[in-house]
Amino acid sequence: MRRIPLILSLVALSAVAACGKSGTKSDAAGAGGPITVKATDTGCEVAKSQLDAGTHVFAIANSGTKVTEFYVYAAGDRVMGEVENITPGLSRELRVELPAGTYQAACKPGMVGNGIRNTLTVAGSASPLSEDAALAQATASYTRYITTQSEALLQKTTDFANAVKAGDIEKAKKLYPVARTYYERIEPVAEIFGDLDPKIDGREDDATAALPFTGFHKLEKDLWVTKDVSKDGAIADQLVTDVKEIVTKAKAEKLSPLQLANGAKELLDEVATSKITGEEERYSHTDLWDFAANVDGSQAAVAALRPALEQRNPALVKQIDTAFANVDTELAKYRDGDGWKLQNQLTREQLKGLSDVINALAEPISKIAGVIAQK
Ligand SMILES: [Cu+2]
């Protein structure tokens, strides 16, 4: 789950981070170049509504006053692609592979609600990117990663939920960041499935009547702030049920290679907007656990794509390796036992140091989608 940063003193840092390159212009953009999307506070104007099957680039420009998001949904609100945290004045690109079918393109000004929706009709047939052997191998190997991580997520979440239900606050506090790690590694996949991510990972300020404050962060608050989990049995059980559903769905999901590329970038956006700022783990301050997990998840997607990237752009692979190594070195400074220092123990300069290495990594990572979409 991702949110606009709440901590004002750090807004400037994350705004820089969010400037993840509006664009490596339209290589392999599909006929006619990018499809422009004009996002405002009240509108979402998509330049085309009829598309040919294949890979398309959406170029989203936010001319509103609110931070927005852009989604392409398949039936049942399955997310085919998303870009979050498009701040006012910013433009971002999203590459999505769309087989024939009916989709919805949505902008979400203020990052809340169902969004302003447009129907997209995609017709014809195109050979999928996964016809390329190296890309097919990439999705197969990343799917194995998702499977092992999501199984561990279920195990660790169950242990955590049991500690909550037993009223063992100390034990639950120890298990919390561990369970979270597995969720944060697979987050782009977990976010594909409609309401499951908000139910598992939603924040108090995003809660609505339809989607009340539940899941990990509700338990986090009760463990660290309220210090009373005596009424949280049902929430703990629901969290395990929701995680089970993620595991089942994630295993069955057929990912496009572009979802790996987009996911690798989304995870770094997550780090910039919700971990460095301390937004996500605002009660426990265990954000660096999530930070490391988001980076792990990004690295796993890149590792799966590596043979395909080596074929297409070996220089980019080198650049990415160096940037990942720099993140590891910077983050390693904040190791504490088998865990991490708390976010609020870091100075502003230290957080800035982390922000800088993440920005430097996000830059080459943002090029991956364009590189693999080239045939
Ligand atoms: Cu999250």
Side-chain angles (χ1 to χ4, degrees), residues 1-2 180 183-184 187 201 203 270 275 280:
M1 181 87 190
R2 24 46 195 192
R180 299 275 311 142
Y183 191 76
E184 292 290 323
E187 191 146 6
D201 201 25
R203 315 288 204 274
E270 275 268 337
K275 312 306 169 0
E280 178 131 16

Side-chain angles (χ1 to χ4, degrees), residues 185-229:
R185 283 184 184 154
I186 64 161
E187 191 146 6
V189 174
E191 286 185 1
I192 292 174
F193 314 113
D195 283 347
L196 278 171
D197 176 64
K199 282 169 74 181
I200 294 170
D201 201 25
R203 315 288 204 274
E204 188 168 20
D205 39 307
D206 296 325
T208 59
L211 279 174
F213 184 38
T214 61
F216 275 121
H217 295 299
K218 163 70 175 146
L219 298 175
E220 180 201 3
K221 184 176 185 184
D222 289 344
L223 288 168
W224 270 270
V225 181
T226 323
K227 298 184 171 69
D228 174 10
V229 290

